[in-house]
Amino acid sequence: MPNEGSYEVALERSERIRTDLPEHPERYTMLTGDRPTGRLHLGHYFGTLQNRVELQNMGVHTNVLIADYQVITDRDTTEHIRDNVYNMVMDYLACGLDPDKTMIYTHSSVPAANQLMLPFLSLVSEAELSRNPTVKAEMEASGHELTGLLLTYPVHQACDILFCKGNVVPVGRDQLPHIELTRTIARKFNKRYCKDTKPVFPMVNALLSDTPLLPGLDGRKMSKSYGNAISISMTPEETAERIKKSQTDGERMITFDPENRPGVSGLLSTAAICTGRSEVEIAEEIGMSGSGALKKYVTEAVNNRFAEIRERRHVYENDLDYVKDVLAEGNRRANEIAEATLAEVCEAMGMTY
Ligand code: TRP
């Protein structure tokens, strides 16, 4: 039998929920979020934003968090943070998140949610925290020392999920250790403090994406730091420029071969996801016309696919007051929910004076 924490088990749970979601959307509260370190890109859009909008429109309770405190887990600066946060709200709205249905908030603005950190920290051991593979990978990738926050931010992420009693968390595979930790914390809290009463926290499940990860223009993982990403907020000209500068190879004939031709194949995958066609079909159509023709095709595919979203985004770019209002209202609601949950937590712990 596979062990409880394994990928297979999480995947099975995720699949079960995926089938149940359209049937009983009202049973689910989704919480997920992003670190405001820059603009959202096509990888975010196809990997998760589209899915959030779908869940929202299905009638699931949807909450989207801008994880500003997580920015300082592996960086020593909060430069541009406000600008990044407002731009993230613009990206969300442009992509179809509706603030009347989806609560959009910044976790630094919700003191009661952050206060859950104290009881939650008492429910995890140092050993459990130290063996988290995602924290280790982030530490290595950033070259940052293991600060107290980097070590314990997965507990803070449990606060994010549990303050609103989230029970589905759409995430990539790298986030599974954090979801496991959240489950452990919820289980332990309920067991320790809700012996004779209704459990305070729900069982949390990851909703694993079933769409393959969109590679960057060079075939590597799409990342702002590699310069291989197209942001949702780019203009058509910036998009053309980014694609034009991407590295292909000397072979004229266009073929889809991710292993041996990462550049050409990354371009084909981008065109495929934007047009709904297959990579092979597009490659065959372009054939001997070479990478110039391919780049032209990809540019048009991206610019057509995102024309409407970008047009909507311009409206928000020109109405920062509205963007600030959306966030203020999300934060107000988040505080209401967090205070109610913290009250339940204090009650369960007998800390009411
Ligand atoms: N750690 C996530 C990331 O790096 C962002 C995040 C913060 C998050 N809190 C969360 C995701 C809670 C899901 C649930 O992308």
Side-chain angles (χ1 to χ4, degrees):
M1 214 180 94
N3 80 46
E4 168 66 6
S6 75
Y7 177 64
E8 287 68 29
V9 176
L11 189 62
E12 206 184 289
R13 276 202 301 261
S14 165
E15 288 311 309
R16 231 180 297 136
I17 288 172
R18 194 177 295 285
T19 17
D20 193 48
L21 272 165
E23 281 165 47
H24 304 104
E26 72 290 345
R27 287 186 191 164
Y28 295 96
T29 297
M30 179 212 88
L31 180 289
T32 190
D34 306 284
R35 300 180 185 200
T37 52
R39 302 294 169 267
L40 294 173
H41 54 57
L42 267 54
H44 296 117
Y45 182 76
F46 292 109
T48 158
L49 291 170
Q50 235 184 354
N51 184 240
R52 295 176 194 176
V53 174
E54 210 177 297
L55 294 173
Q56 164 193 278
N57 295 340
M58 224 180 245
V60 172
H61 307 281
T62 39
N63 304 300
V64 176
L65 152 74
I66 302 177
D68 50 356
Y69 270 138
Q70 272 194 18
V71 170
I72 50 169
T73 53
D74 60 5
R75 300 172 192 229
D76 292 335
T77 171
T78 52
E79 215 190 342
H80 308 305
I81 195 142
R82 192 188 299 145
D83 188 49
N84 287 345
V85 166
Y86 291 148
N87 272 282
M88 195 157 266
V89 177
M90 292 176 204
D91 281 334
Y92 289 159
L93 297 174
C95 291
L97 288 178
D98 172 354
D100 288 333
K101 296 181 181 149
T102 295
M103 182 170 88
I104 300 171
Y105 73 102
T106 33
H107 60 183
S108 70
S109 311
V110 192
N114 292 313
Q115 198 173 322
L116 296 175
M117 192 74 177
L118 286 165
F120 286 4
L121 278 170
S122 75
L123 300 169
V124 297
S125 69
E126 196 243 317
E128 243 170 328
L129 294 171
S130 301
R131 63 171 174 258
N132 186 309
T134 300
V135 170
K136 274 190 208 163
E138 283 166 350
M139 182 173 72
E140 274 155 28
S142 65
H144 204 279
E145 65 176 331
L146 187 60
T147 58
L149 185 65
L150 183 50
L151 181 68
T152 57
Y153 92 80
V155 182
H156 192 242
Q157 193 156 318
C159 304
D160 292 337
I161 298 168
L162 293 173
F163 94 95
C164 64
K165 307 204 176 167
N167 58 1
V168 265
V169 187
V171 282
R173 193 172 173 165
D174 66 311
Q175 297 287 306
L176 274 181
H178 302 354
I179 306 293
E180 275 312 314
L181 187 73
T182 303
R183 290 167 65 85
T184 305
I185 289 171
R187 195 187 299 122
K188 279 197 181 166
F189 185 92
N190 292 339
K191 186 158 175 254
R192 205 173 281 185
Y193 298 110
C194 314
K195 283 198 188 77
D196 309 310
T197 50
K198 205 170 131 284
V200 173
F201 294 114
M203 254 313 127
V204 178
N205 294 289
L207 189 64
L208 292 157
S209 172
D210 53 5
T211 47
L213 216 58
L214 175 67
L217 295 172
D218 55 2
R220 290 191 290 172
K221 178 180 150 62
M222 190 180 288
S223 161
K224 201 180 67 135
S225 52
Y226 291 159
N228 64 358
I230 300 167
S231 305
I232 295 165
S233 58
M234 280 180 176
T235 62
E237 295 72 33
E238 286 165 343
T239 304
E241 191 62 19
R242 176 57 55 98
I243 291 169
K244 201 169 133 202
K245 282 204 185 119
S246 73
Q247 284 286 331
T248 47
D249 52 48
E251 212 173 309
R252 182 152 191 95
M253 178 78 179
I254 298 302
T255 53
F256 183 57
D257 180 359
E259 200 145 307
N260 299 308
R261 306 187 67 187
V264 165
S265 301
L267 285 167
L268 284 167
S269 292
T270 305
I273 202 158
C274 288
T275 56
R277 302 178 69 193
S278 80
E279 283 95 344
V280 173
E281 197 185 323
I282 298 169
E284 280 169 2
E285 186 174 289
I286 294 173
M288 284 304 286
S289 304
S291 60
L294 172 62
K295 287 182 174 181
K296 188 160 167 283
Y297 185 88
V298 180
T299 304
E300 272 172 28
V302 174
N303 287 340
N304 286 335
R305 179 66 179 74
F306 285 89
E308 219 177 285
I309 288 175
R310 286 168 168 172
E311 207 173 297
R312 268 202 303 270
R313 201 181 189 285
H314 287 310
V315 177
Y316 301 120
E317 285 161 14
N318 292 312
D319 194 354
L320 189 60
D321 283 342
Y322 174 73
V323 170
K324 289 182 184 175
D325 281 349
V326 165
L327 188 58
E329 173 58 16
N331 284 338
R332 190 194 61 73
R333 277 161 62 196
N335 273 292
E336 228 171 62
I337 296 169
E339 279 158 25
T341 302
L342 182 62
E344 279 184 72
V345 163
C346 289
E347 177 79 36
M349 298 177 78
M351 293 177 169
T352 48
Y353 314 108

